Amino acid sequence: MTVNKILEAIASKLSEIWPDRNVFVDKIPKGADGNFFVGVIETNQEKKLDRRRRRSCQIEVLYFLKSDDNMAFNDWADTMYDNFETLDVEEGANKTRRLYLTGQTARKDESGVFQFLFDVNINFVMAPEAIEFMENLTQKEELK
């Protein structure tokens, strides 16, 4: 599972909730009022036992409000809290993985940008190194 797959799942979920708004993931264009931006703040990976790993990503969702209304922020934050407890991410063909989100935080800054932060933690096992199979070994028989 890649970070890009996680961002795509977030953008898809935002589009389902607010179908009339755009979701940007690369850069924020001018005139983005009323639209969303999804980005990664930081990622890290810890080595666990043997081939096990734990990757953590801190994600931000920015909403650029058209008007400076405190009640609109409260409605938006409630909707985000209700819909971003879990995230279903497609890992491959016909394979979906449910991720449980933690550390949800909603903030509003002076310029009318709403920020929603959360953490995604993924536990996985790395594929083993390729080894040669015994079919490639030569056998030699000797009688004594």
Side-chain angles (χ1 to χ4, degrees):
M1 176 179 307
T2 64
V3 175
N4 288 339
K5 293 275 188 187
I6 294 169
L7 292 178
E8 288 172 6
I10 295 166
S12 176
K13 194 169 201 176
L14 287 169
S15 294
E16 287 174 13
I17 300 168
W18 291 284
D20 58 332
R21 299 191 179 134
N22 295 322
V23 181
F24 303 104
V25 293
D26 293 327
K27 61 181 182 176
I28 304 167
K30 290 183 179 179
D33 293 348
N35 296 305
F36 292 97
F37 172 77
V38 179
V40 177
I41 294 177
E42 75 175 1
T43 63
N44 64 30
Q45 183 168 304
E46 298 175 53
K47 183 176 180 183
K48 299 294 183 179
L49 184 63
D50 195 27
R51 295 178 289 127
R52 290 174 175 80
R53 303 289 186 270
R54 179 183 175 145
R55 183 174 294 162
S56 299
C57 303
Q58 186 176 31
I59 308 289
E60 73 173 341
V61 176
L62 301 178
Y63 175 60
F64 304 97
L65 189 63
K66 290 183 179 181
S67 65
D68 193 19
D69 183 9
N70 196 44
M71 297 299 276
F73 171 73
N74 295 336
D75 290 339
W76 178 80
D78 287 340
T79 303
M80 292 297 287
Y81 281 123
D82 292 344
N83 288 285
F84 282 89
E85 289 188 1
T86 63
L87 185 66
D88 294 327
V89 180
E90 285 189 35
E91 288 189 284
N94 300 326
K95 186 175 181 187
T96 303
R97 183 172 178 183
R98 176 162 284 178
L99 302 176
Y100 294 91
L101 310 177
T102 60
Q104 292 90 338
T105 305
R107 298 182 229 195
K108 176 183 166 188
D109 71 5
E110 307 83 39
S111 64
V113 176
F114 298 167
Q115 181 184 43
F116 190 75
L117 302 170
F118 56 88
D119 298 324
V120 178
N121 298 308
I122 308 161
N123 295 309
F124 62 97
V125 178
M126 294 181 66
E129 293 181 20
I131 57 171
E132 291 188 34
F133 292 103
M134 295 196 55
E135 291 99 24
N136 297 334
L137 297 176
T138 59
Q139 292 183 347
K140 182 178 177 182
E141 292 185 29
E142 291 183 15
L143 294 175
K144 293 186 180 184

